[in-house]
């Protein structure tokens, strides 16, 4: 069983819809990262969380440490949000080693 | 401009021919890391370094070597590449391990 599970694997939405991508993990963590990768492109770090909630523009990330769960929300989605969204965790005691989920492919249609 | 650079961006080579992929950052970051990305497997960490002369294995270190002689550079060395090392490789850096990671543009390696 993977230590980091993302759902859904694939998500198709219409422009303007509210998007939620989920990340669950089975181990104790010191931090959780959300990354974005456009098709054929590089990887951009969106958020790094150890508790609570962060917001940047139309993106919101939340984490519930007790439930071992994080969500990435996109409000008023746009076709340029189409990308793979990747969750990664730093496991406690792992000396900053990152373990990744397999990613969620988001397609936003105009 | 703050950035992480990797070279080469694309490389096709043959089994057994030693190669080095360079990674350099201009942000004075202490933490650097190498990842490989494969379809269906996602990103996996190969090696990471918390400072000069301090390196440690990630999840898939077999067949790779790294060195961190200077803070800005973290080359990935494949002493004897094999076809199963065909992959997309990313270098990343951050101030500390628990911090925003800055990724390089990626190196697509094909080993024939």
């Amino acid at each position: 069983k993977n230590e980091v599970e993302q759902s859904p694997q694939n998500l198709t939405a219409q422009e303007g819809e509210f998007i939620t991508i989920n990340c669950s993990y089975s181990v104790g963590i010191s931090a959780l990262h959300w990354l974005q990768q456009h098709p054929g492109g590089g990887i951009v770090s969106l958020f790094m969380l150890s508790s609570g909630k962060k917001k940047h523009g139309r993106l919101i990330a939340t984490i519930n440490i007790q439930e071992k769960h994080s969500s990435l929300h996109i409000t008023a989605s746009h076709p340029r949000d189409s990308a793979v969204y990747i969750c990664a965790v730093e496991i406690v005691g792992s000396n900053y080693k990152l373990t990744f989920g397999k990613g969620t492919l988001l397609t936003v249609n105009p | 401009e703050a950035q992480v650079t990797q070279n080469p961006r694309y490389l096709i080579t043959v089994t057994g021919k030693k190669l080095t992929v360079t990674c350099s950052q201009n942000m004075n970051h202490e933490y650097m890391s190498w990842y490989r990305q494969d379809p269906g497997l996602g990103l996996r960490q190969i090696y990471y370094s918390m400072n000069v002369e301090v390196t440690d294995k990630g999840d898939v270190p077999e067949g790779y070597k790294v060195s961190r002689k200077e803070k800005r550079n973290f080359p990935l060395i494949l002493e004897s590449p094999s076809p199963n090392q065909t992959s997309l490789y990313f270098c990343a850096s951050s101030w500390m391990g628990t911090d925003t990671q800055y990724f390089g543009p990626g190196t697509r390696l094909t080993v024939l």
Side-chain angles (χ1 to χ4, degrees):
Chain A
K1 185 183 184 299
N2 291 332
E3 291 167 318
V4 182
E5 298 278 357
Q6 286 186 238
S7 63
Q9 284 187 307
N10 295 281
L11 179 57
T12 300
Q14 289 300 120
E15 184 172 357
E17 286 185 1
F18 181 84
I19 305 288
T20 295
I21 298 171
N22 297 298
C23 176
S24 296
Y25 50 91
S26 56
V27 293
I29 68 168
S30 52
L32 182 143
H33 300 251
W34 280 104
L35 311 171
Q36 180 193 56
Q37 185 175 28
H38 281 103
I43 299 172
V44 174
S45 180
L46 297 175
F47 295 103
M48 194 278 293
L49 293 160
S50 53
S51 65
K53 177 179 174 178
K54 286 190 176 180
K55 184 175 189 290
H56 185 253
R58 295 180 294 106
L59 272 60
I60 303 166
T62 64
I63 188 168
N64 185 318
I65 298 292
Q66 287 74 29
E67 294 186 2
K68 292 186 165 59
H69 181 268
S70 176
S71 293
L72 177 68
H73 304 288
I74 305 174
T75 61
S77 59
H78 189 275
R80 65 175 176 265
D81 296 325
S82 297
V84 175
Y85 293 84
I86 302 167
C87 171
V89 301
E90 294 178 29
I91 298 172
V92 170
S94 71
N95 227 13
Y96 308 126
K97 188 166 78 69
L98 281 182
T99 300
F100 296 84
K102 289 189 167 47
T104 294
L105 174 60
L106 171 65
T107 303
V108 181
N109 295 318
Chain B
E1 180 191 352
Q3 60 182 350
V4 179
T5 57
Q6 293 179 228
N7 282 293
R9 295 288 313 277
Y10 302 91
L11 179 60
I12 300 174
T13 188
V14 295
T15 298
K17 186 176 181 183
K18 181 179 178 180
L19 67 92
T20 299
V21 184
T22 64
C23 173
S24 184
Q25 50 94 3
N26 63 359
M27 296 168 277
N28 203 35
H29 285 167
E30 294 192 345
Y31 182 88
M32 298 186 73
S33 185
W34 276 104
Y35 305 96
R36 61 178 289 173
Q37 186 176 39
D38 302 289
L41 296 176
L43 281 159
R44 292 177 292 169
Q45 195 168 34
I46 303 171
Y47 269 97
Y48 61 99
S49 168
M50 291 193 290
N51 213 327
V52 174
E53 302 292 3
V54 180
T55 63
D56 207 350
K57 297 176 182 178
D59 289 321
V60 287
E62 296 80 17
Y64 304 95
K65 285 176 58 177
V66 292
S67 68
R68 187 93 181 272
K69 293 183 169 36
E70 306 167 277
K71 201 170 190 178
R72 63 182 292 126
N73 295 322
F74 190 43
L76 180 70
I77 303 156
L78 284 72
E79 295 269 5
S80 182
S82 63
N84 65 12
Q85 293 178 298
T86 292
S87 188
L88 179 58
Y89 291 86
F90 289 97
C91 178
S93 73
S94 64
W95 284 110
M96 297 294 291
T98 304
D99 202 349
T100 299
Q101 300 253 323
Y102 293 82
F103 285 80
T107 294
R108 188 165 293 281
L109 171 66
T110 300
V111 183
L112 302 174

